[in-house]
Every structure is written in structure tokens, then in C-alpha cells.
Amino acid sequence: MKVEYVNPFVCAAFSVIEMVIGVKPVKGTLTARPSLFTSQQCNVITGVTGQVEGQVIYGMSLITADKVASAMLGQPIRTFDQLAASAIGELGNMISGNASTALAEAGFQCDITPPSIVRGTNVKISTLNIPALVVPVMLPDIGEIEIIVSLQDRR
Amino acid sequence: MAKRVLITDDALFMRVTLKNILTKGGYEIAGEASNGLESVELYKQTKPDLVTMDITMPEMDGITALKEIKKADPQANVIMCTAMGQKSMVMEAVAAGARDFIVKPFQPEKVLEAVQKIIG
């Protein structure tokens, strides 16, 4: 998997998070995983299709998900309901959408699919056997969002 | 009488956000659609002054829905409101008759400005 596919997602995450959550994120260390896997409790999965294909997951703890949804909705959430889930899903959609624009500008035309939200731990997704690159992004006072990018050139 | 807007987005969060922005701006909500198919149906039923249209949606995407709405009413005012800002996507939407293209995330003022420019 090419590292150049990861940067557009990290850059998009920074600008989207700053705009919709209002905090300045801090980037952590990039690591690799042999396949698409998440041990986070709340995950937003977006598909990428086109000249580049695969999946990108935004994973976070349930506490972080609550805080992110509260920040996006402008009020604390009592339960993680459909509205809160759709706020988290939309965050992933906006990051992947903005990243796909950057990828297209770099010459890789691609489209994204509507986000799915998976809650639970040790989720392994194995539609395509592509290794994944992981970038943790720290949001001050909110928590960590893990960006898991698993993309390849279309064969 | 307040101008009426039909909101189209698969994310409940985005529909609520757009509804708040538009209501505060003095517009009435003609309806809320969660995919392109619903939007085309609701357009025919409610005859709104303007439609906000997401692109990435299940059932029917926003570009197809835009084309269907324009087929039913060539005078329809549709603004695309999506997380994807690819040149090819913008060009396809404009060619299909979209009046404006707003990339998410957006500032509330930007949405109101775009809507005002078209329907006042």
C-alpha cells in the first residue's frame, strides 16, 4: 500500500475536524497492519472506488464518539442515538469526501460510498486483503481518532 | 410567503443541520429526503422553490436525482451540497443543471448566501 494514499486522508481529517469540532488535532506516529483491522469501539467505515479502491476506517472509543457527536451537534448527547451516530458517520463522510477530492487532483479519480457505523471491538474487515496504514490523531479534550487507510490501485 | 426548500441528505445529522440553518434564515422546509429517489418523489409532491442535494447516497445518488428532477421540471433550482469537490463531479452537476455547488463542511452563512442568490 502506498503511503501517498494516506496523506490526503490525514490532511482532510485535520481541516474537517478543525472546522466542525473546533479543535486543533495533533498527529501521532504512522504504523502498519497486515490487514484491515480495528480494535476501536466505534468505527466509521467508508468505501473508496475508482482508480484507487479499498476502505478507510475512522475508529474511536465510545467516550470519544460521544464527545465528537456532542461537539458536532452543539449540545451534550444523553444517549448515542441515531442523530449522534449520523453525526459521527458524517464526520467520516466529510473527511473521505475531501480526501477523494485531493486524490482526484493528484490524478487518482475515485468516488466514496455512504458511511457505515460499526460498534464493537476486534472488528476485522476482509473484503479485500490489503495491508493497512494507521495514523492516530489526537483531539485535545476529546480523545483519539484512529485513521485506518487500506487502499490499493485498481487492477 | 416564505420560500420553501427540500433538503436531501442520507445523514440525519446533515438534514437537522441544514434545517436549522434554513429555518433561521427565514425559509420553510418543504420536506426532507434521505436519498435521491425520495427527493425526486418529494419534489413532485411538494414543488419546492429550491432543493439541496447531497451526492453520495444509497438507493439513488444525487447526480441521478438532479437529472430526474430537471427532467420533471426544467425550471427546478437545485444546489449540490456534498463532501466531494472533484472538478469532474462539479462539472457533471453543473452540466446537469445544478445552480450551485457547496462542499462540506460548510459555514452556515455560505449556505444561506447560495440559497438567497437563487430564490431571494
Side-chain angles (χ1 to χ4, degrees):
Chain A
M1 195 195 129
K2 293 179 188 165
V3 178
E4 63 189 284
Y5 294 154
V6 179
N7 269 337
F9 289 89
V10 177
C11 290
F14 271 58
S15 66
V16 170
I17 288 167
E18 254 195 89
M19 196 161 161
V20 306
I21 305 177
V23 296
K24 254 194 152 47
V26 180
K27 192 176 146 188
T29 315
L30 178 96
T31 53
R33 272 175 210 167
S35 67
L36 191 54
F37 173 84
T38 173
S39 50
Q40 297 285 352
Q41 295 169 314
C42 180
N43 300 282
V44 181
I45 304 172
T46 58
V48 178
T49 59
Q51 282 175 277
V52 177
E53 63 180 6
Q55 265 107 25
V56 179
I57 300 179
Y58 305 92
M60 64 202 91
S61 70
L62 293 178
I63 294 169
T64 302
D66 277 1
K67 286 185 183 166
V68 168
S70 299
M72 288 179 76
L73 292 163
Q75 59 192 47
I77 56 161
R78 278 191 215 101
T79 49
F80 195 83
D81 56 6
Q82 212 196 336
L83 182 62
S86 94
I88 301 288
E90 191 57 26
L91 181 75
N93 179 53
M94 288 191 280
I95 297 172
S96 287
N98 283 229
S100 76
T101 305
L103 280 171
E105 273 162 19
F108 308 104
Q109 277 299 333
C110 56
D111 201 347
I112 58 165
T113 63
S116 321
I117 295 152
V118 176
R119 300 216 294 163
T121 47
N122 293 320
V123 179
K124 190 172 185 228
I125 293 139
S126 49
T127 44
L128 293 162
N129 228 351
I130 317 165
L133 290 173
V134 186
V135 180
V137 171
M138 191 65 204
L139 281 59
D141 301 323
I142 289 183
E144 190 183 87
I145 299 180
E146 222 174 43
I147 306 173
I148 309 164
V149 183
S150 175
L151 298 172
Q152 68 179 9
D153 295 327
R154 192 168 177 188
R155 292 192 182 146
Chain B
M1 211 174 78
K3 296 280 173 78
R4 292 158 61 248
V5 181
L6 168 62
I7 296 168
T8 315
D9 202 301
D10 58 333
L12 174 64
F13 167 75
M14 216 17 99
R15 295 199 299 276
V16 171
T17 305
L18 281 169
K19 190 158 78 178
N20 286 342
I21 294 172
L22 291 166
T23 317
K24 275 186 195 142
Y27 297 98
E28 201 179 292
I29 305 305
E32 291 178 38
S34 62
N35 62 57
L37 211 57
E38 258 181 53
S39 185
V40 176
E41 281 308 308
L42 277 175
Y43 186 89
K44 290 173 183 165
Q45 276 172 33
T46 63
K47 298 263 179 277
D49 297 290
L50 184 135
V51 184
T52 71
M53 184 73 76
D54 184 18
I55 292 185
T56 311
M57 292 183 292
E59 304 282 346
M60 183 193 278
D61 68 81
I63 299 270
T64 311
L66 160 68
K67 289 176 184 165
E68 289 291 318
I69 288 173
K70 287 301 245 186
K71 215 192 284 170
D73 177 8
Q75 303 303 315
N77 293 312
V78 181
I79 293 181
M80 307 312 279
C81 199
T82 166
M84 287 191 299
Q86 276 95 317
K87 249 187 226 134
S88 58
M89 199 72 86
V90 178
M91 277 157 65
E92 196 186 348
V94 171
R99 298 291 304 271
D100 209 335
F101 199 105
I102 301 170
V103 178
K104 291 187 238 176
F106 48 66
Q107 302 286 3
E109 307 81 60
K110 214 170 161 195
V111 177
L112 287 177
E113 218 173 83
V115 174
Q116 262 157 17
K117 222 167 54 193
I118 299 166
I119 57 169

